[in-house]
Amino acid sequence: MMMIAGQFPHLTLAFGLMGNIVSFMVFLSPLPTFYKVYKKKSTEGFQSIPYVVGLFSAMLWIYYALLKGNAMLLITINSVGIVIQTFYLCVFVLYAPKKARIESLKLITLFIIVGFGLIVLLTEFLAKGAKRGVIVGWICLIFSLCVFVAPLGVVRQVIKTKSVEYMPILLSLALTLSAVMWFFYGLLLGDFNIAIPNTLGFTFGVLQIILYFVYKNKKPIIDDKITEFKERMSSMDEPRVPDIKDRTSIDMVKLNALVRSENVPNSHFVRSPIVTNHTIEVAA
């Protein structure tokens, strides 16, 4: 990798610019979600952790790029990422219920203030020169690997339910393309901290795309269970109403009893109280 570094500056610039464009589109992908939050004035069960992690990751990569030097395109896109993720978090905190708001503020404190603050302080005071960039680079690499592994939960859900509802194909394509761009940018720059995590991102991106085309026309398993459950619940909630045939049979029995009672001699008959016949209207 070091033999390639600096040999193709124009290609490096091209892949870096394309990586900036694709990553910018990925950053904008949650906008429809936050538009719904704004319209409904509620976060409706959405979680803030993806945006906290996104903000933390952008700050970490900017710090690494500043230590490394010669990585301006990392600084540009992650600066945009900080602005966008901060906007998302502000909207989330504004419209989230009290419990979710408190949890979000705790996450922000944990990742941004404590986590990032400790990384900066420890590397500034305990490491010197090039070692500082190496340490931060490894932190970025490990953290990026953890972020790229996160979609495994979605992959497992798709395989289990045979549904791609929670795995939009456009986002998967964008993330895969972004991983390709940043892999070649890191490769041409001679920086394995950028290249290696994106190999994993590309692998999982391709896996998601394959799963999408395998299961996109499959009938989701969970839908059958939900439908059956709803039918059971609706049948339990509905009061039992006798149909027309049952009501007619009941009226005939009462009529026969009344006729027999009128034919019985008075000396052996004790007249029972008259019982009002209540009819039940059945909706058509």
Side-chain angles (χ1 to χ4, degrees), residues 235 237-247 250 279-284:
S235 64
D237 291 337
E238 292 177 359
R240 188 182 185 282
V241 180
D243 56 15
I244 300 298
K245 183 178 179 180
D246 292 339
R247 191 176 66 191
I250 293 172
T279 59
I280 301 174
E281 295 294 334
V282 181

Side-chain angles (χ1 to χ4, degrees), residues 227-237:
T227 303
E228 182 181 354
F229 176 75
K230 286 182 178 179
E231 288 177 353
R232 288 182 180 179
M233 291 302 294
S234 61
S235 64
M236 290 174 62
D237 291 337

